[in-house]
């Protein structure tokens, strides 16, 4: 094979490979209905967001390997305990992780709220999430109120206000 | 937030606990810089590596800024196509790894031509690394992302993310140049071996991104360190 053909072969392979990748449009806009999705929960049942009125939601996207994902779990548990009776669902979604690793992570932390695994980060990408941890707040009307990128533990004084906003 | 805070946030992340996240790309950049230093045996100054660092910084920071700005259309488009872009980045990194392994047999004569080739490779590497990198969100970067998601402040967010990315690239370059300088003391007989190891190292990164195995690298290797 002539060396000058290599770039063309590389381009051809590139085209084939990238053509196989799934494009997912970011649909999340603050103040608009939250992008709809349904995910099976790790312990059975399913998690549904449909942009319709219902319980408010605090959904955190995290990975087992990310240090600040680990740090934010105690605060999420506190929020769950404090606001569960007032109609706030705390949910966790695993991204950028193998499912088996994320399952172990969830089991190890003995979460009192449901968790699901986002295969291929499809849901995360509709919310414009490229890095863990990120927490989205959806109010009782199904409207996306806030997306917070980073460790919510660093914003502990604000997080309770954000939850009150979606009640 | 001021530009210096963003710059320092990016620079200092390399030397902090956040290096755990940066390990997704930092060892591979260092391998690249060491590899191109060893690609020819000529005695010369380090200008070529400095040029590579500058080109890498430009490529990395521009894409990093766009991917950090959900309030900008270009950022949203890039994010929508991120899976395809990661595969493309893997192919580019693979070609660069082949260049490291076999490039010594190509005679690139002339300082200008060498500058174009090495600068171009580093620019492409920077673009590719920004695409494959899934940053952990440091406190400074978190604030930048909040600015970047609001359409009214998205341009400011993109500017700060660009500066933050430059800060990261600066820290990579700083450490990389120290490594390059230390190669002056490397015995001649180990140079080609080390260059091939560097090339192979990048080749592994390329394959991980093309096949989607990168997620396992993050989960098991980085998770082991956390």
């Amino acid at each position: 094979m002539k060396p000058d053909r290599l770039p063309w072969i590389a381009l051809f392979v590139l085209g084939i490979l990238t053509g196989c990748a799934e494009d997912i449009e970011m649909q999340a806009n603050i103040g608009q209905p939250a992008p709809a999705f349904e995910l099976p929960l790790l312990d059975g049942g399913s998690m549904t967001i449909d942009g319709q009125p219902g319980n408010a939601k605090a959904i955190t996207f995290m990975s087992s390997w990310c240090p600040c994902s680990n740090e934010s779990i105690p605060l999420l548990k506190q929020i769950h305990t404090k606001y569960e009776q007032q109609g706030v669902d705390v949910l966790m979604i695993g991204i950028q992780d193998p499912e088996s690793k994320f399952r172990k992570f969830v089991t190890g932390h003995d979460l009192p709220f449901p968790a699901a695994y986002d295969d291929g980060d499809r849901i995360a990408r509709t919310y414009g999430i490229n890095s863990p941890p990120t927490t989205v707040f959806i109010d009782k009307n199904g409207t996306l109120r806030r997306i917070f990128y980073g460790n919510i533990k660093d914003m502990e004084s604000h997080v309770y206000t954000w939850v009150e906003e979606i009640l | 937030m001021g530009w210096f805070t963003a710059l320092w946030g990016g620079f200092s992340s390399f030397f902090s606990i956040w290096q755990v996240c940066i390990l997704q790309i930092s060892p591979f950049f260092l391998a690249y810089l060491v590899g191109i230093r060893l690609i020819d045996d000529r005695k010369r100054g380090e200008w070529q590596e400095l040029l590579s660092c500058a080109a890498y910084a430009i490529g990395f920071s521009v894409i990093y800024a766009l991917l950090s700005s959900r309030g900008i259309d270009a950022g949203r488009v890039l994010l929508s196509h991120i899976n395809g872009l990661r595969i493309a980045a893997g192919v580019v990194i693979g070609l660069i790894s082949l260049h490291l392994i076999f490039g010594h047999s190509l005679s690139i004569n002339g300082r200008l031509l060498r500058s174009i080739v090495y600068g171009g490779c580093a620019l492409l590497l920077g673009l590719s690394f920004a695409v494959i990198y899934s940053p952990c969100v440091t406190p400074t970067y978190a604030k930048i992302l909040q600015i970047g998601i609001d359409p009214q402040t998205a341009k400011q967010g993109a500017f700060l993310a660009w500066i933050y990315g430059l800060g990261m690239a600066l820290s990579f370059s700083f450490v990389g140049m120290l490594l390059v300088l230390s190669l002056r003391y490397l015995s001649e007989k180990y140079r080609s071996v080390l260059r091939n190891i560097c090339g192979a190292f990048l080749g592994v990164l390329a394959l991980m991104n093309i096949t989607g195995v990168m997620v396992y690298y993050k989960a098991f290797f980085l998770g082991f360190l956390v």
Side-chain angles (χ1 to χ4, degrees):
Chain A
M1 184 174 60
K2 293 179 181 174
D4 60 355
R5 289 184 186 164
L6 271 175
W8 298 108
I9 293 171
L11 271 178
F12 177 72
V13 172
L14 189 67
I16 297 283
L17 289 173
T18 55
C20 295
E22 188 181 6
D23 295 334
I24 297 175
E25 190 184 347
M26 177 183 166
Q27 298 164 14
N29 289 298
I30 306 296
Q32 301 289 318
F37 68 85
E38 183 171 3
L39 272 179
L41 296 174
L42 296 184
D43 56 359
S46 66
M47 169 191 297
T48 305
I49 301 292
D50 54 12
Q52 299 298 311
N55 274 5
K57 309 263 190 308
I59 308 173
T60 187
F61 293 78
M62 53 175 61
S63 306
S64 63
W65 51 267
C66 172
C68 41
S69 290
N70 290 271
E71 279 182 17
S72 61
I73 288 179
L75 181 57
L76 289 168
K77 287 181 176 176
Q78 286 172 29
I79 291 168
H80 171 74
T81 306
K82 186 170 181 184
Y83 292 101
E84 185 185 19
Q85 297 303 319
Q86 295 179 54
V88 176
D89 296 338
V90 176
L91 308 164
M92 180 188 287
I93 297 180
I95 58 170
Q96 296 178 8
D97 233 350
E99 186 173 357
S100 58
K101 189 85 175 6
F102 182 67
R103 276 182 184 275
K104 278 186 191 167
F105 173 77
V106 168
T107 308
H109 282 283
D110 194 23
L111 300 181
F113 47 81
Y117 176 69
D118 182 12
D119 191 17
D121 300 348
R122 290 183 179 85
I123 309 304
R125 285 165 61 199
T126 62
Y127 279 80
I129 295 167
N130 188 34
S131 43
T134 299
T135 307
V136 303
F137 296 87
I138 300 167
D139 71 14
K140 288 189 166 183
N141 295 318
T143 302
L144 181 62
R145 284 292 162 208
R146 183 180 299 276
I147 300 179
F148 178 74
Y149 301 96
N151 187 354
I152 55 169
K153 190 171 177 295
D154 295 337
M155 304 295 287
E156 195 162 349
S157 56
H158 294 79
V159 169
Y160 290 101
T161 310
W162 298 343
V163 177
E164 301 279 346
E165 283 173 2
I166 60 173
L167 278 173
Chain B
M1 181 188 295
W3 66 269
F4 185 77
T5 307
L7 185 73
W8 177 249
F11 183 83
S12 61
S13 60
F14 189 95
F15 306 99
S16 69
I17 181 65
W18 303 106
Q19 175 59 236
V20 171
C21 299
I22 300 170
L23 273 174
Q24 290 171 56
I25 51 173
S26 56
F28 303 100
F29 173 76
L30 298 178
Y32 171 75
L33 208 57
V34 168
I36 56 161
R37 177 64 198 174
L38 301 173
I39 209 163
D40 59 46
D41 298 328
R42 275 172 280 224
K43 301 277 183 215
R44 53 172 173 76
E46 281 77 21
W47 61 269
Q48 196 168 279
E49 288 72 35
L50 280 171
L51 172 78
S52 293
C53 287
Y56 171 85
I58 291 168
F60 180 80
S61 58
V62 167
I63 298 298
Y64 189 78
L66 289 174
L67 283 170
S68 303
S69 309
R70 277 69 163 173
I72 289 178
D73 287 343
R76 294 171 80 101
V77 169
L78 279 180
L79 213 54
S80 299
H81 296 86
I82 196 75
N83 280 5
L85 289 171
R86 282 184 175 146
I87 293 172
V91 173
V92 169
I93 294 166
L95 291 173
I96 291 173
S97 86
L98 291 176
H99 173 62
L100 285 189
I101 296 170
F102 300 111
H104 64 289
S105 58
L106 306 170
S107 57
I108 303 172
N109 294 316
R111 190 169 168 159
L112 179 63
L113 186 57
R114 275 207 304 276
S115 302
I116 292 169
V117 170
Y118 291 121
C121 279
L123 183 73
L124 285 173
L125 195 79
L127 296 170
S128 302
F129 276 20
V131 166
I132 66 171
Y133 179 49
S134 304
C136 250
V137 188
T138 67
T140 306
Y141 186 53
K143 287 175 188 162
I144 292 171
L145 287 170
Q146 300 311 316
I147 297 169
I149 194 175
D150 184 343
Q152 291 185 326
T153 55
K155 284 182 183 168
Q156 186 198 355
F159 172 72
L160 290 170
W162 176 63
I163 297 287
Y164 187 93
L166 276 181
M168 282 181 68
L170 199 61
S171 63
F172 282 36
S173 303
F174 175 72
V175 175
M177 287 309 294
L178 289 179
L179 266 179
V180 164
L181 289 172
S182 72
L183 293 174
R184 288 179 177 181
Y185 307 102
L186 182 70
S187 165
E188 282 295 324
K189 62 180 177 182
Y190 296 122
R191 294 175 74 90
S192 62
V193 174
L194 183 58
R195 189 197 63 237
N196 287 337
I197 290 173
C198 290
F201 204 46
L202 278 177
V204 169
L205 178 67
L207 283 175
M208 286 198 296
N209 279 284
I210 292 169
T211 59
V213 175
M214 189 69 182
V215 72
Y216 291 90
Y217 168 76
K218 287 179 203 167
F220 289 100
F221 182 63
L222 305 185
F224 181 72
L225 297 173
V226 173

